Amino acid sequence: MYRFLLTPRWWGINVFLLLSIPFCIFMGSWQLGRFEDRVDNHREAEERVVSDQREEARPLDDLLPVTKATSGKQTTASGRYDTELLVPDRKVDGEDGYYVLTLLRTDTGRALPVVRGWLPGAPDPAKVPAPPAGEVTVTGALQASETPGSNGVSARGGLPQGQTAAISSASLVNLVPYDVYDAWVTLNRGDSGMQAVPASAPGGTGLDLKAFQNLGYTAEWFAFVGFVIFMWFRLLRREVELARDAELGLAEGGDGTAGDGVDGTEDDGTPRQPAGVSSPVQ
């Protein structure tokens, strides 16, 4: 009954089965490894943010441009506060609020965006404490310019005057009449009683969409293993049923009738009567 397994067709099916299963397991394991690597990178990045806060602050120019290695490092800069902007739709500890962003004019002629703190609720300039006057020195965590539409950064436009959706030189250069550093700083301690904004891990090290795509691909590859095995057993069962039917003489002929011979006779050799013609009475 199982002699059909030796046919060329089933040799091909079996070879495909034996090759596809280890291949799918390998690809699923590889995708799972990629997800685990991203989880480890995310954990290390968060730990590095905490450890960076204990390091001695370095001059701003020594840490530019911002990279994964310098993001979150403690930096210091001096200058005078100038233009102030509010950044809406920002959460801290799960609560909605907004950042208070003030540009620090430095001796280089460029301005450094400084997040002085966070306030709850809708943006309201009347509730924002005034920045310190005169020459100031700020110390905080260095951050890379944000990209609208990613990592929770809003990409909506049409904001009221005095607000910006993203903290980036590309956005701020259109709002102020001077050059802006391609970076920003969040103060270690909130200014004038405002809550400090925690430093975030550098981009590409968190549990972003790509990480969960790896996890989804893992599930797909392992599911394909089960699908291949299921289809093999289904084909095997079908072939066994056909072989059993053939042994019992139940296999269908070419015209859909059971038990017809190929020469117009019944299985016992008796000539088959044409349809619609009655046999004479004996």
Side-chain angles (χ1 to χ4, degrees):
M1 183 180 297
Y2 292 94
R3 286 178 296 179
F4 62 84
L5 292 173
L6 301 178
T7 61
R9 174 171 172 266
W10 271 93
W11 270 106
I13 293 175
N14 292 333
V15 169
F16 173 78
L17 177 73
L18 294 175
L19 293 179
S20 61
I21 290 178
F23 175 76
C24 292
I25 293 176
F26 169 78
M27 292 300 298
S29 300
W30 180 75
Q31 290 288 352
L32 181 60
R34 294 278 295 171
F35 174 75
E36 291 175 344
D37 289 342
R38 292 182 183 276
V39 172
D40 292 339
N41 289 339
H42 176 67
R43 186 182 299 110
E44 292 173 358
E46 289 185 333
E47 293 174 352
R48 188 167 61 248
V49 169
V50 176
S51 63
D52 286 343
Q53 293 179 350
R54 297 191 291 266
E55 294 183 359
E56 184 179 355
R58 297 163 57 187
L60 176 64
D61 291 336
D62 293 349
L63 298 174
L64 296 178
V66 184
T67 63
K68 289 184 179 181
T70 60
S71 179
K73 295 291 186 182
Q74 291 291 298
T75 187
T76 182
S78 298
R80 294 176 178 270
Y81 282 125
D82 194 272
T83 307
E84 189 163 80
L85 300 167
L86 305 182
V87 188
D89 304 325
R90 297 305 175 102
K91 292 180 178 291
V92 172
D93 296 332
E95 187 177 357
D96 293 328
Y98 57 97
Y99 292 171
V100 176
L101 176 69
T102 311
L103 280 84
L104 183 73
R105 298 289 301 273
T106 66
D107 294 338
T108 64
R110 289 188 292 176
L112 173 66
V114 177
V115 173
R116 297 170 47 224
W118 173 89
L119 291 173
D124 186 357
K127 296 181 179 179
V128 178
E135 187 81 10
V136 296
T137 298
V138 298
T139 302
L142 182 66
Q143 302 280 266
S145 288
E146 297 178 333
T147 301
S150 65
N151 296 327
V153 179
S154 174
R156 67 188 181 100
L159 293 174
Q161 185 176 2
Q163 295 186 22
T164 180
I167 308 174
S168 69
S169 58
S171 300
L172 297 175
V173 73
N174 299 317
L175 302 176
V176 295
Y178 37 78
D179 293 334
V180 179
Y181 279 101
D182 189 20
W184 58 283
V185 168
T186 175
L187 298 183
N188 294 332
R189 294 182 179 179
D191 191 13
S192 303
M194 293 184 289
Q195 185 172 345
V197 175
S200 59
T205 60
L207 295 178
D208 53 11
L209 178 60
K210 290 184 178 180
F212 290 103
Q213 282 179 340
N214 292 134
L215 190 60
Y217 294 149
T218 299
E220 289 180 1
W221 282 113
F222 287 128
F224 192 67
V225 172
F227 175 76
V228 170
I229 296 175
F230 167 77
M231 290 303 299
W232 184 87
F233 275 107
R234 184 169 181 177
L235 289 174
L236 178 67
R237 180 180 177 182
R238 180 175 178 273
E239 291 286 350
V240 170
E241 290 175 349
L242 291 175
R244 184 182 297 113
D245 291 345
E247 289 182 354
L248 297 176
L250 300 177
E252 292 185 350
D255 59 355
T257 60
D260 290 346
V262 295
D263 56 354
T265 63
E266 299 292 345
D267 290 341
D268 58 359
T270 305
R272 185 172 64 241
Q273 284 291 115
V277 179
S278 62
S279 60
V281 178
Q282 299 294 330

